[in-house]
Amino acid sequence: MADFKGIAEALIEGNAGKVKDLVQGAADEGEGPQKILDEGLIAGMEVVGVRFKNCEIYVPEVLVSARAMHAGMDILEPLLAASGAKARGVFIVGTVKGDLHDIGKNLVAMMLTGTGWKVVDLGVDVDAEKFVQTALDVDADVIGLSALLTTTMVNMKSVIELAKNKDCKAKIVVGGAPLTQSYADEIGADGYAPDAATASEIISSMG
Ligand code: B12
């Protein structure tokens, strides 16, 4: 019998090798990739998200679990594509122009991948044109903007303005240590989250 609980536990422990073996085992037994994703990987990642939010674990542990998640996803992705499973939506994420911080952005991307979104990660130092053009090209549902510097968070506003000018329908969610809900409101963002778990909740409600 497929060991979904074992997959979740191995992911929480950050044991990528074990996650890979158990996911492969479940797939070989004929379990559907969506079920393995939902009951194994996502179930585990939800626990990681809650523990991170409650400060029971910290960034290094989350990154190790993220690596384990990727090890499982490497096996499931081609199976999911072949089975025609539909992503919950398309989420574009990147760190704004002039800013090279990417740890928080990567956590948000990983959490969204873990909850079934198709994630397009544009990396760091991304200008407004690239965010908006990519959103239009891939018909994104949500754009996530990250900034860690008070000098770069102002660049979020240009993305929001350009999206409006180009009639881009994607919702825009912002985050990063210097951000606040009131700043997000001031620049006209559709959402703000202080951490990756809340980001996942807010963005999932937009899909
Ligand atoms: C690591 C780090 C670096 C690393 C970055 C490595 C990397 N690959 O990211 C390096 C060494 C490169 C670096 C460089 C610099 N840094 Co720096 N850096 C940090 C540090 C210590 C940690 C940031 C971090 O990763 N935190 C952990 C993650 C998990 O948290 P997070 O990013 O906030 O993300 C969470 C939330 O904010 C949210 N979130 C994040 N993004 C998004 C996006 C969306 C859409 C949503 C919804 C949510 C969301 O969810 C995340 C997960 O829970 C901070 C200090 C700090 N405590 O924040 C300084 C800090 C951000 N850096 C700072 C500075 C000044 C710099 C430099 C200018 C230093 C210099 N003089 O060269 C350069 C700038 C380089 C550049 N152009 O970007 C200052 C910023 C001050 C300010 N107010 O502007 C800080 C605050 C340090 C300080 N106290 O002075 N830095």
Side-chain angles (χ1 to χ4, degrees):
M1 237 194 65
D3 186 4
F4 297 119
K5 198 161 170 261
I7 294 171
E9 280 167 1
L11 184 138
I12 295 163
E13 284 164 18
N15 187 336
K18 195 167 171 191
V19 167
K20 198 171 159 207
D21 290 346
L22 291 173
V23 167
Q24 188 64 63
D28 291 345
E29 281 178 32
E31 289 292 353
Q34 191 65 52
K35 190 169 179 191
I36 304 172
L37 179 64
D38 290 342
E39 295 184 23
L41 298 177
I42 292 181
M45 196 45 87
E46 276 170 1
V47 174
V48 172
V50 171
R51 289 187 184 169
F52 182 55
K53 196 172 169 178
N54 295 339
C55 298
E56 290 163 27
I57 58 170
Y58 297 95
V59 175
E61 289 97 325
V62 179
L63 293 178
V64 173
S65 288
R67 256 204 307 270
M69 176 97 193
H70 281 297
M73 284 303 291
D74 284 347
I75 297 168
L76 293 183
E77 259 161 9
L79 302 174
L80 284 165
S83 72
K86 218 181 150 301
R88 289 172 78 167
V90 180
F91 175 61
I92 292 185
V93 68
T95 306
V96 295
K97 180 115 198 86
D99 199 322
L100 303 176
H101 296 85
D102 68 356
I103 298 170
K105 183 262 301 167
N106 291 346
L107 286 172
V108 172
M110 174 273 296
M111 207 64 98
L112 268 289
T113 303
T115 46
W117 282 71
K118 176 175 163 44
V119 174
V120 179
D121 188 343
L122 297 178
V124 296
D125 192 19
V126 182
D127 63 24
E129 186 63 39
K130 182 151 190 201
F131 274 116
V132 175
Q133 196 52 52
T134 310
L136 292 169
D137 290 347
V138 304
D139 197 16
D141 297 283
V142 184
I143 303 174
L145 306 177
S146 182
L148 264 287
L149 300 171
T150 44
T151 49
T152 58
M153 66 188 216
V154 291
N155 296 333
M156 293 174 157
K157 199 170 175 202
S158 349
V159 182
I160 293 169
E161 280 168 358
L162 187 65
K164 271 200 196 112
N165 288 343
K166 294 220 168 180
D167 205 22
C168 173
K169 299 278 180 262
K171 295 257 189 337
I172 300 187
V173 178
V174 296
L179 272 284
T180 58
Q181 181 66 58
S182 67
Y183 186 74
D185 294 341
E186 189 187 315
I187 60 174
D190 298 296
Y192 157 76
D195 56 67
T198 314
S200 168
E201 284 165 22
I202 288 174
I203 293 163
S204 291
S205 73
M206 295 175 167

